[in-house]
Amino acid sequence: MTSLITETRPAPVCGLDTWVPVAAEIISINEENFNTLTFKMRFVEETHRENYRFLPGQFNMLYVPGIGEAAISISSDPEETDTIDHTIRVAGSVTRAIQQLDVGGVVGIRGPFGRGWPLEAIKGKDVVIVAGGIGLAPMRPTIYSLLRNRKDFGRVMLLYGCRSPDDRVFAPQLDQWTEDASIQVLVTVDNATGGWVGPVGVVTNLLQRIRVDARKTVVLVCGPPILNRVAAWQFLQLHVPPEQVYISLERNMNCGFGRCGHCQYGRKFVCTDGPVFPFDEIAEVFGKKEV
Ligand SMILES: Cc1cc2nc3c(=O)[nH]c(=O)nc-3n(C[C@H](O)[C@H](O)[C@H](O)COP(=O)(O)OP(=O)(O)OC[C@H]3O[C@@H](n4cnc5c(N)ncnc54)[C@H](O)[C@@H]3O)c2cc1C
Ligand code: FES
């Protein structure tokens, strides 16, 4: 069976001139944890606000003049078309420069780029979302979409792990989703600080707590490489077919639209063929070092 991904991608906001960033203003900043902030941004020009659409799992290239660009997932609700959220952890020069901006600051945006999660094609399936740390960022638009179209899917489960309770991103939403009977939410931490009474241990341990009907389950994974590897492996062991296990990969990006070759991964470009891949498409290189 081939990939379930069939969605038509929205056009980049910068039109055909895909190298030219479009200005967006920061309208609010939310502190997620000690090194991660969510920036709500709005395009300065109304035409861009009207035309910009994205699919859950896609990313933008964010530009800070004089510093450079970084690939950042879109973390807002795709139905919220006036603004776009980016949840950013400091990794190096660009992310640090963005974190130093205040409300009213302006960044450049190119995008949306890439292939998102196959939400249309997986209708009728049970969906297990596995996320680690900031890997919940590209999952949040997905969860909003799944909940909005809840009757189109079977059981929906979210397994989320992070270092400590204070490291959670989107903590208020996690609490809200936990209260929502239409999604099963399990959160685990490596270190149970501050009176944490929930599960402790790596996120893949949570698999023991859910029921997986292998043939009708689709798995969506986003986290650090070790989590991606272990989660994919465990679901394959449970006989979930490889074309139903999707992983969002990170690679060093430059152009974002398949021209420069920076993001090459085996025979694929992560910026255009991914970042979301069904396991069968990347099986030959997945988990290998120096690919
Ligand atoms: C599809 C996709 C989606 C992404 N989504 C998000 C997201 O939603 N949020 C987010 O925060 N990130 C996201 N990333 C990751 C982000 O693009 C990278 O972390 C990016 O490299 C950050 O750019 P930067 O200039 O801040 O860091 P860079 O300068 O590129 O630094 C990146 C890495 O290099 C190391 N490094 C930097 N400078 C040095 C140095 N002088 N010596 C040694 N090591 C160094 C850093 O420690 C870090 O590990 C995503 C990446 C991809 C591909
Ligand atoms: S980032 Fe240029 S080809 Fe992917």
Side-chain angles (χ1 to χ4, degrees), residues 19 252-264 269-272:
W19 282 107
N252 193 7
M253 301 269 179
N254 184 5
C255 69
F257 53 92
R259 292 293 183 279
C260 71
H262 266 69
C263 65
Q264 185 138 13
F269 282 167
V270 172
C271 66
T272 47

Side-chain angles (χ1 to χ4, degrees), residues 22-29 39-45 49 82-84 86 101-109:
V22 164
E25 184 182 359
I26 296 168
I27 58 165
S28 69
I29 301 171
F39 293 83
K40 194 171 280 301
M41 300 177 182
R42 183 187 281 132
F43 288 112
V44 172
E45 285 192 28
R49 293 203 287 272
D82 192 46
T83 56
I84 323 166
H86 294 96
L101 294 172
D102 282 326
V103 169
V106 172
V107 298
I109 294 184

Side-chain angles (χ1 to χ4, degrees), residues 131-132 159-164 186-192 196 198-209 227:
L159 313 183
Y160 178 57
C162 53
R163 287 190 187 145
S164 78
L186 295 170
V187 180
T188 185
V189 297
D190 297 342
N191 303 301
W196 176 258
V200 178
V202 293
V203 65
T204 43
N205 287 354
L206 295 174
L207 239 107
Q208 298 155 1
R209 299 174 180 242
L227 164 62

